[in-house]
Amino acid sequence: MAGLRTVGAIVLTLLVLTLLGTGVPLMVAGSMVAMVSTFAIRENEVRGQAITLALGLPVALAAMSLGALLHTLVIAGDVFFVLLIFAAVYFRRFGDRGTALGLIGFQVYFISLFVQASVRTLPVLYLTLAVAIGCSALVRFAVVPQTPQRTLSRLREAFRARLAQLLATQNELLDVGPEELDKVLDDLRRHTARLHEAALMIQGLLEEGTRDEAAAGLVQRRVAEAEVAAERLGMLLLNARSAGRADTLTMHLPHAPVPATGTRIRTEDEAIRTLRRDLNALLVLVARPTPGGRGTAVAHVRNRLLGYRDEENLPPASPAVQDVFRGLGEAARSVLGLRLALDGPQDESDDSPATTRSREEFDAEDLAIDVAEEAEEPEDDRTGLQRPTTRAAFQVAVGSTLAMIGGEFLSSQRWYWAVLTCWVVFLNTASTGEILVKGYRRLVGTVLGVVAGVALAGLVGHHTWTAFALVLLCIFGMFFAAPLSYALVSFFVTAMLGLLYTLLNTYSLDVLVLRIEETALGAACGIIGAVLVLPVHTDRRTDELLGTVLVKLRDVVSAAVEQLSGGPAVDLLGKARELDEALDELRASIQPLTHPITPLRVRRRTARYLVALLETSAYHARSLAATAELVPYSKTIAADPRLERAGRRIAYNIDLIVARVLEESTEGEVQSGASVAAMLETAGSGALRTGTVTFRVLRHLQRLDEGVVGIARPLDVPVAGRSGGGSGSGSGSGKAS
């Protein structure tokens, strides 16, 4: 959508400028301004977007004016450019609007250098800026409108589609042979991860995209329940057809080991036929947002699946296969809840007792949801040079100064490409390692883009509109590839520049080679600035984020166990979502450690191992939270006070690891030894019965306990009772870094 909106704004700008009879240089400038004024605006509310875009016009006019006035004053122009870069980065502290206005100011000044603006051409450049920003506004608010409600609606449909994809892959898992198992498991992991991404995106837009806070809280709860139920169903299917147990489907390692394939699932023909039928039935429930003319048939399917929540309705089968039927019942319940939250009340005339009970549970939850005021983000108490935006502003200013000086030696006409690269490598990066990786990716993309630029320039020759059409394709490719690969973005940018130079009649192979040299110089200067000026080392940042993830994990587990033990109801799914967001941030921050170019192989293995264990633990924490959410409202699930002891041990171990990671304390040992099951049996009466909710919770707690012990070992945290069953030793030693 961002690509379509940007391309639409550029097309409209080109049409208007063509009607006004402007030359090709002004059309190029207008296209670039339209692109900048479209992608720079990131606010959610339409009103905020309009205000920022309106403020963007005077900022753009001022930047273009200063670019033209300082065109011949080399020293003054360079000093102002550095000050502008510093201000643009510093203004990020003021949120999306400050970021957008700083970006517009920097990019428009850069455009003034690119088109060699002068005082004589200012009047037509002013007109070009006004046309470009006006066209951007028209496309944004009328042609391809962007509102939180529309975006949330698309995400809801995407979530349904992702859920259907995941269930279809789970159907394949039931019958796939050993030779194709790896491929199906890869698909299963990919679809599980994409469902998780859709859930996080919905979470980010709930407040602006729903009617009120209560509705936002309800949708958040139902989406999280559906995600956890679908992931659990895949786990149960994998366990049912395997000779061992899987921990999670969302492993970070691309080739994570899976249990050895067994044959027991194929010996229960009747149960498997029923299971295959009901998996297809669940897929029908998800794929049909409204029953349409087959309401009775769909209701019958839904009633049958919800019946599996009662033990007496489970078909005769092995415990592992019966677990899958229980998972089907919980997945059907989550689909019903999701439909009620997204589509509102529905016909209840065909409900079975099991369906009626599920609706009553949802009603009880809805009435009990007391949307607490959103916890305010703790204010950043860092001041001065400790503030991230201030630090980044000084770093990029120093790096840009070096790039400016070095760029002048390479080319007195196009030195600004080095400055642009230095600026770009600081965007959305927070450590020296991230800047290094981003600079490397930009250089690779630039080299490949130069090759493409040579080919495209030779292809279009002097055909102006063909060149503009290819420019539009490159711009769309930039936005489409942005979530996938920064190297691809750089490829499309460089290919587009080759076409723009063709349009400006300044194209040559030497120019594109110079582009590579300036890019390499800019990336190197950015890295130098990050290393020499107030550096944020990758190991320090990853340690901080690892501590944050562990704290969030402890909060989820402790709150879930407390509620499962009979404590008061709290917003567990909200806490689980905060854990997911922190884990995503950690996953992004360790990219410099896991990138193929890193020479530190042991650190790479350790980082991957830790993230894999954290993802496993996060899955079990989400499952605990989803189960605990049912306790206050369910007529069939009761609290079990025995669970409290296991929760205390896990919380203690996590606190100990956090203190070691953040270098707050080196005392104490991680408690291991007796299994969680043994702890519960000594606190209650006898062994736990398979199939009970306490038994299901117990499995999650056991995996969490083992995962926390596994996290402790590569971090060099002492573990007591080593023979008691950790999850294995990790490769490497030291911190996550």
Side-chain angles (χ1 to χ4, degrees), residues 422-726:
C422 182
W423 156 276
V424 168
V425 297
F426 275 93
L427 294 178
N428 300 319
T429 54
S431 70
T432 305
E434 292 179 44
I435 292 171
L436 176 62
V437 170
K438 192 170 185 180
Y440 161 78
R441 288 173 175 166
R442 185 170 182 85
L443 182 59
V444 170
T446 299
V447 172
L448 297 177
V450 164
V451 176
V454 171
L456 291 175
L459 179 66
V460 300
H462 298 288
H463 297 86
T464 300
W465 291 109
T466 303
F468 270 122
L470 290 174
V471 165
L472 294 177
L473 287 177
C474 289
I475 291 173
F476 182 82
M478 288 163 46
F479 285 92
F480 190 80
L484 305 175
S485 168
Y486 184 69
L488 275 178
V489 173
S490 301
F491 167 81
F492 284 117
V493 169
T494 305
M496 177 189 69
L497 288 175
L499 293 167
L500 291 180
Y501 280 130
T502 301
L503 290 169
L504 294 173
N505 294 320
T506 56
Y507 167 80
S508 70
L509 182 59
D510 291 339
V511 168
L512 291 182
V513 171
L514 178 64
R515 162 79 174 159
I516 296 177
E517 296 171 346
E518 297 279 4
T519 298
L521 175 65
C525 291
I527 294 169
I528 292 172
V531 170
L532 297 182
V533 182
L534 306 172
V536 178
H537 298 297
T538 304
D539 55 355
R540 193 181 92 188
R541 175 163 171 78
T542 52
D543 285 346
E544 291 176 353
L545 292 177
L546 175 59
T548 300
V549 171
L550 289 170
V551 169
K552 299 291 185 185
L553 178 64
R554 179 205 60 201
D555 291 344
V556 175
V557 174
S558 298
V561 170
E562 183 179 3
Q563 191 160 312
L564 287 164
S565 304
V570 296
D571 182 14
L572 292 174
L573 294 180
K575 292 180 179 294
R577 194 56 68 198
E578 291 176 3
L579 169 62
D580 289 335
E581 292 169 353
L583 185 55
D584 283 347
E585 191 173 0
L586 174 64
R587 191 182 297 110
S589 74
I590 68 163
Q591 286 186 4
L593 303 178
T594 59
H595 197 276
I597 67 172
T598 179
L600 306 174
R601 305 299 181 185
V602 173
R603 292 173 67 185
R604 182 168 68 182
R605 288 196 300 269
T606 302
R608 286 180 171 177
Y609 173 78
L610 285 173
V611 171
L613 283 178
L614 287 169
E615 288 185 337
T616 299
S617 300
Y619 161 72
H620 292 293
R622 287 198 304 271
S623 298
L624 276 179
T627 304
E629 287 274 352
L630 302 175
V631 172
Y633 320 108
S634 175
K635 298 179 180 179
T636 59
I637 300 177
D640 190 335
R642 295 177 297 171
L643 295 168
E644 185 177 1
R645 184 181 173 190
R648 284 201 303 267
R649 184 167 90 177
I650 294 173
Y652 170 82
N653 288 343
I654 293 176
D655 285 337
L656 199 67
I657 296 172
V658 170
R660 179 63 64 92
V661 169
L662 300 182
E663 299 182 348
E664 296 174 353
S665 173
T666 58
E667 303 297 326
E669 292 181 324
V670 168
Q671 297 177 1
S672 181
S675 69
V676 175
M679 293 172 61
L680 263 64
E681 289 174 12
T682 59
S685 55
L688 296 167
R689 184 168 62 88
T690 302
T692 63
V693 173
T694 300
F695 185 83
R696 186 171 74 191
V697 168
L698 169 65
R699 291 192 307 193
H700 292 307
L701 285 173
Q702 184 66 48
R703 298 300 185 213
L704 276 166
D705 189 52
E706 294 170 355
V708 171
V709 173
I711 291 169
R713 285 174 172 153
L715 297 176
D716 286 339
V717 180
V719 178
R722 287 181 181 271
S723 61

Side-chain angles (χ1 to χ4, degrees), residues 148-372:
Q149 294 79 11
R150 287 172 62 92
T151 303
L152 181 61
S153 177
R154 289 197 300 271
L155 283 174
R156 284 162 45 178
E157 294 306 314
F159 185 82
R160 278 177 169 145
R162 292 297 190 199
L163 185 57
Q165 286 179 339
L166 179 57
L167 292 175
T169 307
Q170 290 173 355
N171 284 357
E172 295 180 30
L173 182 63
L174 188 63
D175 296 316
V176 68
E179 66 282 356
E180 299 178 356
L181 179 60
D182 287 341
K183 178 182 180 301
V184 173
L185 283 175
D186 288 342
D187 292 341
L188 202 61
R189 290 192 184 98
R190 184 174 68 256
H191 291 314
T192 301
R194 288 179 175 175
L195 183 70
H196 179 64
E197 290 172 0
L200 285 178
M201 293 173 72
I202 291 173
Q203 169 71 17
L205 287 168
L206 276 176
E207 292 182 8
E208 293 82 10
T210 49
R211 299 181 300 277
D212 51 39
E213 289 186 357
L218 181 62
V219 173
Q220 173 190 348
R221 184 182 297 256
R222 301 295 176 245
V223 166
E225 288 172 351
E227 179 193 353
V228 171
E231 187 173 4
R232 180 189 296 142
L233 181 59
M235 282 265 304
L236 295 173
L237 278 167
L238 182 59
N239 289 333
R241 63 157 294 145
S242 304
R245 282 213 169 273
D247 279 336
T248 179
L249 294 173
T250 55
M251 297 291 286
H252 177 68
L253 296 177
H255 301 294
V258 298
T261 302
T263 58
R264 63 185 180 186
I265 196 170
R266 297 183 179 277
T267 63
E268 305 167 69
D269 296 335
E270 185 62 33
I272 299 310
R273 282 197 294 270
T274 303
L275 183 57
R276 186 181 297 108
R277 178 200 65 183
D278 289 337
L279 284 170
N280 288 322
L282 180 62
L283 182 58
V284 170
L285 287 183
V286 172
R288 294 180 182 274
T290 55
R294 301 179 59 189
T296 302
V298 172
H300 175 72
V301 168
R302 179 195 62 208
N303 294 341
R304 185 177 73 246
L305 295 180
L306 287 171
Y308 292 141
R309 300 184 66 211
D310 298 325
E311 294 295 312
E312 60 270 18
N313 293 328
L314 295 176
S318 69
V321 174
Q322 284 191 331
D323 276 346
V324 180
F325 282 105
R326 294 186 187 97
L328 274 171
E330 294 302 327
R333 180 189 184 276
S334 71
V335 171
L336 174 62
L338 187 64
R339 184 161 296 169
L340 290 172
L342 298 181
D343 301 330
Q346 298 168 358
D347 183 15
E348 303 178 14
S349 58
D350 296 319
D351 282 0
S352 67
T355 304
T356 300
R357 189 180 75 243
S358 296
R359 290 188 190 274
E360 290 173 351
E361 290 174 359
F362 287 130
D363 291 340
E365 288 181 39
D366 297 348
L367 291 174
I369 291 178
D370 181 13
V371 180

